[in-house]
Amino acid sequence: MITRLSKLFVRTLRDDPADAEVASHRWLVRAGYIRRAAPGIYSWLPLGLKVLAKVEAIVREEMDAIGSQEVRFPALLPREPYEATNRWTEYGPNLFRLRDRKGGDYLLGPTHEEMFTLLVKDLYSSYKDLPLSLYQIQTKYRDEARPRAGILRGREFVMKDSYSFDIDDAGLEASYQRHREAYIAIMNRLGLEFVIVRATSGAMGGSASEEFLAVADSGEDTFVRSPGGYAANVEAVTVPAPEPVDFSGIGAPRRVPTPDTPTIATLVDRVNADHPRDDRPWQASDTLKNVVFTLVQPDGKRSIVAIGLPGDRDVDTKRLEAAVAPAEVLPFLDEDFAANPALKKGYIGPEALGESSASGVTYLVDPRVVTGTRWVTGANEYGVHVIDLVAGRDFTPDGVIDVAEVREGDPAPDGSGPLSLARGIEMGHIFQLGRKYAEALGLKVLDSNGKLVTVTMGSYGVGVSRAVAAVAEARSDERGLNWPRELAPFDVQIVPAGKDAAMAEYAETLAMELSAAGFDVLLDDRKASPGVKFTDAEILGVPTAVVVGRGLADGVVEVRDRATGERSELAAEGAADALIDLLRT
Ligand code: ATP
Ligand code: MG
C-alpha cells in the first residue's frame, strides 16, 4: 500500500495541547493520531487507528494462541445482572448509568464479568464443556474521577477482557498461568519494559491477582521491588506486624503540656527536653499520629475513620483508597472538626477514638502499633499530649489498617531485602476471581459424579488503547513519536526533499517497489520545504525514512532511523532491494 501524505487526513500541530501533561498525550495529539472530543473521550484519526489496530492484532494473536475464543458484547447493558452482583451500586459514581424510553435502567459496561458469566450459564451445563476461555476487544466506559493524560486514562477506552471458566481450583490456576504467559508475550511484542507485581483486587473481589506495569516515571502506579525478587504495587504491600513487646517496666501514661509544637519534629524536641526517656531519646517513630478521614460508601453512607500510625510516616492515599474500596475517601475538613467536637485537631488521641468511645469514630491502626508499644500521642485537649500510652494496655483499637506510606529501603515483607520504589503504567491485570460471580449469578455445571458444582473463574484485562499511549510514552523524544516496527502506522516513509522532478519520480518508483514487496509506504508527496517534511517525519514517528534529496544526482539516497537517529547512505540504484532487507530485519 502507498499512502500519499498530500491526501492523508492529518495535520501536525506546532503547539502542545493546553491540557497535555505527558509526552504521549502531547505527541499523539500534535502528530494527528487522536483528537479530544470531551474530557477523557478521544476520537481516533487514521494514523492512530492504524496503531490501535496493530495493538489489537497482537493481543488477538496471543489470546488465540492460548485457545481463548473471541466474542463481542454490547457496551450498552441492562441493570439486572449488575444488580445481582451489587456492582450497580458498588461501582458508585464511576458507572455511566442511563435510562431508556420505557424507564428501564441501563449502563455502559465498565467491565463484563456479569455478562460473560451469564452467557456461559445460558449455554453450558457440564464439566465436559470446561475449561473455557472467552475474550473480547471492546470499548469500555468509566466515569473516572480524574481522566488524564489523553488516552492513558480515558472515560471511554478500549480493553481486551477475557474470562476463564474451570471446574476446580487447579484448573483456574492453569488458566491463570496461561494468561500470564500470554500477557508476557504481549508486553514483549509491544516492546515495553515491564514488571509483574502483586496487586490488590479492588472492586473486583477475588483473591490472587497480579498487574503488568510498564515502567514509566509518568505512571500513576507506584511499585516496589526487592533484590530478592519481591515485586508489588505499593497498594498491595503488606507490612508484617512485629511481635508484641513487653511493657511491664513502663509507667502509667502521663498528660503533659506541649505548647508550640505544631509539627512532629517540634513535639519530639519538646518531650525530649521536658520528659526524656531513660533508655534512648524519643523519636518521630515513637509518636502516634491519628489522621481522620470521611469514608463515603457507594450507596452514599458516610462514616468517619481515624487512622493511627507512627508519626514519621504519612497515610498513603492510594493505599488507603485501595484498602477501603469501593468506599471513597474524603479529607476531614475544618467544618467536619467543628461538627465533631470530641476530635481536637492536632491533639487527637486514642482515648477519644473507637467505636465504643464517646466519639464513635472507628479507630484503625498501622500494623506497627502492636501490643506493648509505647507512644507519645494527642491527649484530646489543645496543647496537651500524653506520653507512655501503651497499646493493648491503655487503648485497644477497633482494628488494623495497612495504609502508611511505603518508603525506599523499607524491608520487603518476605524478607528478601530492602525495597526500592519506581513508577509504572498499569497495562494489564490478571485475577483469580474464584466463585464470586458464578455464585452470585448461579453458574453451575454437573461434575463427573453428576453433582452440581459452582464454576470457578478468572478475569483478565489489557488496556489496548492505553497501550498505544504507553508505547508512545516510552519511546517519544523531544522531536516526536517513535514507533517500534510492529506498531508503526507505516513501515517506511519516503521523503523527496527538493523540487527536482527526478527526485519525485525516483520516490514514486521506490514507493511502488516497496509496496509491491508488501510494505506499507507513506510517501511525502507534498509541495513543502524539506525542513517541513523532515520535521513532520520525526513527529509522525515512522521507524525508517528514506530521504531522496540532492544526493540523488550523485546516485545516493539517505536512510534515517527514527529510533537511533542514525543516517546512512544507500546507492540509489538497487536501493529497493537493500531497503527490503533492512525493513525485514
Ligand atoms: P487503574 O488502576 O489504572 O484505574 P483498573 O485497575 O481500574 O485500572 P482494570 O479494571 O484492571 O483497571 O482494567 C484492566 C485494564 O484496562 C487496566 O490494566 C488498564 O490497562 C486498562 N484501563 C483501566 N482503566 C482505564 C482507563 N480509564 N483508560 C484506559 N485504560 C484503562
Ligand atoms: Mg487493575
Side-chain angles (χ1 to χ4, degrees), residues 40 87 91 94 110-111 113 140-144 146-148 150-161 183 200-202 204 210-213 220-221 233 235 318 425-431 459-467:
R87 289 212 290 187
Y91 246 102
N94 269 5
T111 172
E113 279 74 10
K140 298 278 189 274
Y141 297 85
R142 295 181 186 178
D143 195 359
E144 298 275 357
R146 295 175 285 271
R148 84 178 258 281
I151 53 171
L152 216 41
R153 178 173 300 283
R155 297 197 296 161
E156 172 179 298
F157 58 98
V158 181
M159 195 203 288
K160 183 286 299 174
D161 48 326
Y183 276 38
T200 51
S201 37
M204 213 70 89
E210 290 171 295
E211 285 168 354
F212 287 67
L213 303 182
E220 284 181 275
D221 285 86
N233 191 307
E235 294 168 7
K318 289 199 79 177
I425 299 170
E426 183 188 320
M427 301 303 304
H429 198 163
I430 53 179
F431 288 95
S459 140
Y460 317 87
V462 169
V464 173
S465 50
R466 177 177 286 184

Side-chain angles (χ1 to χ4, degrees), residues 85 87 90 202-206 433-441 455:
T85 59
R87 289 212 290 187
E90 255 182 29
M204 213 70 89
L433 278 182
R435 297 181 175 80
K436 176 177 165 178
Y437 291 86
E439 244 151 38
L441 297 163
V455 168

Side-chain angles (χ1 to χ4, degrees), residues 58-81:
I58 290 173
V59 172
R60 189 170 277 122
E61 279 173 34
E62 297 301 334
M63 292 310 297
D64 291 346
I66 59 164
S68 197
Q69 298 174 60
E70 186 168 5
V71 298
R72 189 168 309 163
F73 277 90
L76 181 60
L77 302 170
R79 168 177 177 162
E80 290 71 24

Side-chain angles (χ1 to χ4, degrees), residues 200-271:
T200 51
S201 37
M204 213 70 89
S207 52
S209 101
E210 290 171 295
E211 285 168 354
F212 287 67
L213 303 182
V215 179
D217 290 339
S218 58
E220 284 181 275
D221 285 86
T222 303
F223 66 93
V224 300
R225 269 187 287 202
S226 78
Y230 177 85
N233 191 307
V234 80
E235 294 168 7
V237 172
T238 48
V239 173
E243 290 296 311
V245 255
D246 174 28
F247 56 85
S248 49
I250 303 171
R254 287 175 290 154
R255 296 167 69 86
V256 298
T258 51
D260 305 325
T261 55
T263 63
I264 297 283
T266 50
L267 173 63
V268 170
D269 287 348
R270 167 69 63 180
V271 292

Side-chain angles (χ1 to χ4, degrees), residues 365-377:
V365 296
D366 183 81
R368 297 170 188 86
V369 187
V370 284
T371 295
T373 47
R374 166 186 186 185
W375 301 98
V376 175
T377 188

